[in-house]
Amino acid sequence: MQLLGVIQNFNYNGIVTKAVKYAEENPYVAGGVGVVSLVGVVTMLRKSTMRRNGKDYDSVAGGVNLLNNADHTIKRDEFSTSVDDYEGMFDGARAKTGAISSNESVELRKERYADMVNHFYNLVTDFYEYGWGQSFHFGPRFRNEDFFQSIRRAEYYLAARMGLTEKSRVLDVGCGVGGPMRNIAVFAGCKIEGITINQYQVNCGNRYNEEFGLAKQCHSNQGDFQTLPWPDESFDASYQIEATCHSPNRVGVFKEIFRCLKPGGHFSGYEWTMLDKYDDKNKDHVRVKEGIEVGNGLPTLVHYDVVIDNLKEAGFEVIDHFDANRGQFNDNEIPWFDTLNGKMSLSGFRMTHIGRMCTHSLVCLLEFLMIAPKGSAKVSALLNATALDLVEGGEYGIFTPSYFFLARKPLK
């Protein structure tokens, strides 16, 4: 009983905080087994709990929560099966360039899109929150702002372009855990309904909404954005942020959004697209494109012209569109992919290559100790690999995660 009391009262966070401080000051050493083992041994002694107050991942101690908390909707032994099924939809990826670009491969992912996306977010949501925050997207960034300021500014820009007010009822398509929803609701004062196919994200999002006092303005719903559950003309505006790139049929989802908007309602967003410099005859370009697809649950990436044509085919008037990262190499901007290189703050360190390797070492140890479920290390490796692909896509100038568009449903 005395030993149990010592364990229960042990200052885990204090020990982990010291390990984190050491990691920030000595990142190369921290990548070794020593610090990771210390964190792993300490965290294995405590039970994982999630308060959903925005601070669960403020320290490396939060790493024990990765795929290992009570909010998850799938059983512990189902994670490995989900990883295997997901990887099977990208058979040959990385092993052979062009393998997942065949019509057969793309059609398989389109047919099984719901399983693909659900698997993906069951597996990666915790990692995204741990390393990125509650808004799962990129954004153009100026040199006088930090990462989180740039993320909020990208969200506020959508709200401003759509003219949202306190009277607006808004639809968030592909809402994730609701970071953008909450930021936009606070900014514009509007009410927002979100939809995501992943029940775990719904659970997390609505807990955050309650915790932050926004439950009367923000609500997450589980569902497929290909068949929206709301009646015609239910919303004044709608947005999506890096979400409809998962769709097997963009025209279909855009038509559903069109149906749910009132006449004159705006639809805006940021889309993942290939750019003019992309050459499908260039093996390096194809390799990078496929790496982004397999690491992000995408049927296939398309040129931005296809997205704009899809909006028009769905009935929208396209008011404006451009790559929000078009000025990324200007003297006053920071390239969007530079975030993946990170800086030596706690949150920034996790985004660096070294930081991701430390996280991966921690995840491997937690899986070995049977704290994290089997398959966790595979997910971590998948995300580490795709981070490199995203950086290359940005450096080559062939890909953007932030192709902005503003469209409108015509007045009757």
Side-chain angles (χ1 to χ4, degrees):
M1 291 299 291
Q2 288 181 338
L3 176 60
L4 178 61
V6 170
I7 291 174
Q8 289 175 334
N9 294 307
F10 192 74
N11 184 14
Y12 302 110
N13 288 335
I15 296 295
V16 172
T17 298
K18 290 179 180 178
V20 172
K21 187 174 186 296
Y22 182 81
E24 290 179 331
E25 294 173 351
N26 305 273
Y28 289 95
V29 177
V33 175
V35 171
V36 172
S37 296
L38 171 62
V39 174
V41 170
V42 170
T43 54
M44 71 178 289
L45 296 175
R46 64 194 292 246
K47 185 178 180 180
S48 171
T49 56
M50 300 294 282
R51 298 179 181 179
R52 300 297 174 192
N53 61 357
K55 299 180 180 180
D56 292 311
Y57 295 112
D58 276 3
S59 71
V60 172
V64 76
N65 296 324
L66 296 171
L67 304 182
N68 184 42
N69 65 78
D71 293 339
H72 270 289
T73 55
I74 64 174
K75 297 178 181 178
R76 182 184 180 85
D77 59 1
E78 293 176 333
F79 281 101
S80 181
T81 302
S82 292
V83 173
D84 292 342
D85 193 29
Y86 178 83
E87 289 184 333
M89 298 182 210
F90 295 89
D91 188 39
R94 302 193 190 283
K96 181 181 179 182
T97 300
I100 66 170
S101 293
S102 68
N103 289 335
E104 181 181 2
S105 180
V106 173
E107 287 305 314
L108 171 64
R109 291 191 293 280
K110 287 183 176 181
E111 289 172 8
R112 298 202 57 210
Y113 123 88
D115 288 334
M116 177 183 68
V117 177
N118 199 37
H119 283 329
F120 181 72
Y121 283 112
N122 273 331
L123 298 170
V124 307
T125 292
D126 290 350
F127 287 91
Y128 278 7
E129 280 202 70
Y130 181 70
W132 209 257
Q134 294 169 31
S135 292
F136 300 168
H137 65 88
F138 294 91
R141 181 177 168 191
F142 288 92
R143 293 193 178 275
N144 67 340
E145 61 186 356
D146 64 28
F147 168 72
F148 293 107
Q149 288 172 331
S150 72
I151 290 296
R152 287 189 177 90
R153 182 171 56 79
E155 295 163 357
Y156 298 162
Y157 183 77
L158 294 184
R161 290 299 303 267
M162 291 188 292
L164 301 186
T165 70
E166 293 181 359
K167 296 181 180 180
S168 301
R169 186 173 186 236
V170 185
L171 172 63
D172 181 335
V173 179
C175 63
V177 297
M181 178 194 305
R182 288 183 288 277
N183 291 337
I184 290 174
V186 169
F187 176 77
C190 56
K191 293 184 178 180
I192 306 178
E193 291 283 344
I195 187 167
T196 171
I197 203 166
N198 186 260
Q199 185 63 51
Y200 176 53
Q201 291 188 332
V202 171
N203 295 349
C204 296
N206 283 330
R207 283 193 62 192
Y208 281 128
N209 295 341
E210 289 281 354
E211 182 66 30
F212 296 142
L214 291 169
K216 292 183 178 179
Q217 281 182 262
C218 302
H219 184 256
S220 295
N221 302 269
Q222 192 280 329
D224 186 346
F225 58 34
Q226 297 292 146
T227 54
L228 295 173
W230 291 279
D232 295 357
E233 302 182 6
S234 295
F235 297 96
D236 301 295
S238 177
Y239 65 87
Q240 69 85 22
I241 303 179
E242 304 180 20
T244 54
C245 50
H246 293 295
S247 173
N249 179 356
R250 279 189 185 83
V251 175
V253 67
F254 291 165
K255 282 184 175 180
E256 276 293 276
I257 295 166
F258 185 93
R259 177 184 65 78
C260 289
L261 283 176
K262 296 175 183 178
H266 287 98
F267 173 41
S268 190
Y270 299 107
E271 185 68 298
W272 285 33
T273 71
M274 304 310 293
L275 298 173
D276 294 336
K277 289 184 178 180
Y278 175 71
D279 179 2
D280 62 7
K281 302 296 191 297
N282 183 316
K283 286 189 175 181
D284 271 344
H285 287 191
V286 175
R287 172 184 57 79
V288 169
K289 174 179 176 288
E290 291 186 340
I292 294 172
E293 290 165 350
V294 67
N296 293 279
L298 307 177
T300 188
L301 285 163
V302 298
H303 189 270
Y304 62 83
D305 278 343
V306 175
V307 176
I308 302 307
D309 288 343
N310 291 163
L311 285 165
K312 294 175 180 177
E313 187 175 346
F316 284 104
E317 300 172 345
V318 178
I319 299 169
D320 199 5
H321 65 95
F322 55 83
D323 180 10
N325 296 310
R326 63 198 184 286
Q328 64 185 9
F329 296 116
N330 292 345
D331 290 341
N332 65 334
E333 291 195 37
I334 298 173
W336 63 267
F337 52 86
D338 187 69
T339 304
L340 293 170
N341 295 322
K343 304 300 177 188
M344 291 304 168
S345 64
L346 174 58
S347 58
F349 176 72
R350 294 175 188 166
M351 299 176 190
T352 67
H353 179 67
I354 299 168
R356 292 194 300 272
M357 291 303 101
C358 287
T359 299
H360 183 64
S361 297
L362 172 61
V363 171
C364 289
L365 180 63
L366 293 175
E367 182 174 332
F368 175 75
L369 295 172
M370 294 184 290
I371 298 170
K374 184 179 180 182
S376 300
K378 279 188 177 183
V379 178
S380 178
L382 176 76
L383 295 177
N384 285 333
T386 201
L388 301 177
D389 296 317
L390 287 164
V391 170
E392 280 195 272
E395 290 175 339
Y396 287 155
I398 62 174
F399 166 80
T400 181
S402 309
Y403 198 85
F404 170 81
F405 64 84
L406 176 65
R408 177 174 55 207
K409 180 175 181 176
L411 292 168
K412 289 184 178 178

